[in-house]
Each structure stands twice: as C-alpha cells, then as structure tokens.
Amino acid sequence: MSPSGAAGAGRLPPPGGSSGGSTTGRVGPGRHCVAFLVYDGVTLLDVAGPAEVFVEANRFGADYGVRLMSPTGDDVVSNLGFRVAVDGAVSSEPAVGTYLVAGSGLFPRTSVPRDLASAARVPAAGAGRVGSICTGAFVLAAAGLLDGKRATTHWQVAHELASRCPTCTVEPDAIYVRDGTTYTSAGVTAGIDLALALVEEDHGADVARDVARALVVYMQRAGGQSQFSAPLQGPPPRTPALRKVTDLVTADPGGSHSLGDLARHLGVSTRHLTRLFHDELAITPARYVESIRFDVARAALDQGHTATEAAARAGFPSYESMRRVFARRLCMSPTAYQRRFGTTRRTPTS
C-alpha cells in the first residue's frame, strides 16, 4: 500500500488521499481532472492502479483530481464483486484533462454494448487526451475513437482488437502506445506504466520517478508484452508442405534447419519455401526457427535450467547467440529474464 492510500472492503471508497487534498467530487479551478469511465464488470485494478499513480503524484507537487463516471451515474459492481461509488454520469461531466476507459474481462468475449460505446464518446469529445487501460481499448474501438490510429491492448486479445477495428494498427508487444492525444495500454498493470508516462508528460521525469519509487514499481520496465506472453502458438499452416516443415522444426528445434536444408527436405526451391512462410505466417523461415528455439529456451529457463543448458536444449549454436535473441525480443538477457520470471521467492539477505 502506498503512503497515501488505504484499503477497504465491500464498497470501494472514492479514490483519494490524505496528502494533496481531496481528489474527488468537484474539481477546483486549475486542477487537472482525470476521469475514469467505469461500468458493471470493470476490472478493479484497471481503475485503482492508475488512480493511485495520480493521487500519489499530488504528494510531489501535482494537482490531479480523480473522478469516476458511469454511463448512467449509478454505482457499478467491479469484477471482484466490490461496489464502486461513482461521482456522476458521463453526460453531467464537464470537460476533463485526461479521460481513461478501464477494461473488463467481458471484452472481447462479448461485443461492447451500444450504450457503453455511446457513453464513451461523450467525455472524449472535450477531453485533452483520451486513453484506455487493457481491454478498455475495445470500448474506445467500439466508440470509433481508435479509427486510423495506432493502439495496443492485452497481448492475448490483440488479434481480436485488430479484427474488430481493421482501420486501427494494433501493436501487440507495446506496453503502451501514444498516437497524438490518444493513449492505449497493455494488460492490467500496464495501466500503471501509462499513468506514470502521463505524469511525466505533465510534470517531468523527476516527479514520475518519485511516484514510481513511492509505489515500488518500475518507472519504465524493460521490454514489451512478449516477456509475459505464452510460448509461440497459432493455427497450423494450411499448406501440407509448410505444416510438414513447421512440425519438423517444432519436434527437433536443435536440428539443422537452414533455409537450404528445409527446402531440400520438401524438395522445393528456397524461393518457394520462403514465399510459403511469407504468405501463410508472415515470417521468414529463419525467424520461424528462431522463434521456436526462443520459446524452448524460455521454457527451459522457467523450469530452472541454467542459461547454458537452455541454449543447448533449444538448439542455439551458443549462449551468445541465444543472448542476442533475448536482447532483441525482450530487451534483457536470459539471466535477467530468469531472475524476473523464474520464481517469486527472494533470496534471503543476511
């Protein structure tokens, strides 16, 4: 718990803090109003995490006022079953400085209700900047607020967002994306990353750094969403020949899988094999082999194998070649990845 907040149960109190004055209700002159759109089923952490960042920033000289809005002005029930008190309906909210739409596990399993999409447009029209947390991007997309823009969402549903908003360029590996005055963030805790970026935009790096330290979070985490994603998965290739090659690589990642070797295995030209990979998987054969080896190595690290063992199991020619792939894909070394994701247990200090 941060120095400025307190936890409760049952009915969630409006976000506020003992330092920096009240942050809810009426937003006084000069205050930067941060308004969250909430609704039944909203993910509580999508609201509480970013809100805590703005409230904490008030301890370091910022002047944010946080408001919660629902489509009708009625209180809502979060995904955890807690009732969340709101400050009013979107139709009664004056122009806000920052307008954020929280996500929900309901999306993308179901389509965004028309009344929710319509409600999302109301404050967006007058907001200085508009953003979403996690699957809140689906609400923005349904409201037409992501048309022609770059955006991101949780890596597990990025493909669905791209399908629902074909004019939007979805960046599945980004922690957050800014396109003009529109901001979208990745899954759940990435809303904290986005809020810190907004604080830095408003008040500079020093204030954002102070907030990050107070909340004991990274000011900017290394890498993108791929460091949290599951191993490479996707539909099998439609072409039997290409499926034969991908099955071969998956079954024996450490085998000899040069472009020439794979082409000879199928009895086709290297140009034809490259075209098959490009047309069906949008990747080169070499990158596909690398992806499989990367996933095998990451799984080995997760299981507790050393980096050298992981490189050998995955078929990398050397540890150094594996390290270069990890650095390019995750912006960290295999050893750093294992420290971060291998266990939640901390080494005791003397």
Side-chain angles (χ1 to χ4, degrees):
M1 184 167 61
S2 78
S4 65
R11 183 180 178 88
L12 182 72
S18 57
S19 300
S22 172
T23 60
T24 58
R26 290 194 178 89
V27 179
R31 304 204 82 181
H32 183 120
C33 177
V34 180
F36 287 82
L37 176 62
V38 297
Y39 44 88
D40 286 335
V42 69
T43 299
L44 193 59
L45 187 56
D46 284 4
V47 181
E52 188 71 26
V53 170
F54 294 114
V55 172
E56 192 69 25
N58 287 346
R59 300 179 60 242
F60 300 100
D63 192 14
Y64 292 109
V66 177
R67 293 178 60 88
L68 303 185
M69 307 180 302
S70 69
T72 63
D74 294 330
D75 292 350
V76 302
V77 178
S78 76
N79 64 315
L80 299 182
F82 295 131
R83 183 167 294 279
V84 179
V86 304
D87 296 297
V90 292
S91 59
S92 64
E93 179 62 44
V96 297
T98 299
Y99 169 53
L100 298 173
V101 179
S104 170
L106 299 172
F107 316 123
R109 296 201 310 267
T110 61
S111 59
V112 177
R114 184 173 300 178
D115 58 343
L116 179 57
S118 297
R121 298 189 195 98
V122 176
R129 56 194 178 196
V130 176
S132 63
I133 313 300
C134 194
T135 55
F138 284 84
V139 180
L140 291 187
L145 299 175
L146 294 184
D147 291 345
K149 296 183 179 293
R150 295 165 44 247
T152 192
T153 187
H154 195 291
W155 61 269
Q156 288 182 314
V157 296
H159 65 286
E160 179 66 20
L161 179 63
S163 175
R164 293 197 191 183
C165 188
T167 66
C168 174
T169 301
V170 179
E171 300 184 8
D173 196 42
I175 297 296
Y176 65 86
V177 169
R178 174 186 178 181
D179 189 328
T181 58
T182 301
Y183 301 72
T184 51
S185 76
V188 199
T189 58
I192 295 175
D193 297 73
L194 174 58
L196 284 169
L198 296 176
V199 169
E200 180 176 6
E201 187 176 290
D202 294 338
H203 299 284
D206 288 342
V207 171
R209 190 176 298 111
D210 287 338
V211 173
R213 286 172 176 165
L215 298 180
V216 197
V217 296
Y218 289 104
M219 183 171 173
Q220 181 177 5
R221 71 179 89 186
Q225 291 193 74
S226 57
Q227 61 186 298
F228 306 103
S229 63
L232 181 67
Q233 296 177 353
R238 297 185 304 275
T239 306
L242 186 57
R243 187 177 305 178
K244 185 177 180 181
V245 170
T246 57
D247 288 346
L248 174 68
V249 175
T250 303
D252 182 22
S256 177
H257 299 315
S258 69
L259 178 59
D261 289 336
L262 293 176
R264 281 191 294 272
H265 182 76
L266 282 185
V268 299
S269 68
T270 56
R271 177 178 296 180
H272 180 65
L273 182 61
T274 299
R275 185 165 57 250
L276 285 176
F277 269 90
H278 178 270
D279 291 346
E280 289 207 36
L281 302 179
I283 195 173
T284 66
R287 285 296 192 206
Y288 182 83
V289 173
E290 178 187 278
S291 295
I292 294 296
R293 289 174 174 170
F294 168 75
D295 286 337
V296 172
R298 188 165 60 166
L301 293 173
D302 290 341
Q303 294 164 7
H305 293 283
T306 67
T308 302
E309 291 170 343
R313 281 172 170 264
F316 282 104
S318 64
Y319 165 78
E320 180 58 28
S321 63
M322 182 178 75
R323 187 197 65 77
R324 288 195 295 267
V325 172
F326 269 71
R328 185 175 70 250
R329 286 172 169 259
L330 303 183
C331 298
M332 67 178 73
S333 69
T335 303
Y337 169 85
Q338 191 171 46
R339 281 199 304 267
R340 182 172 296 185
F341 295 101
T343 179
T344 58
R345 295 187 298 273
R346 306 297 296 177
T347 303
T349 56
S350 58

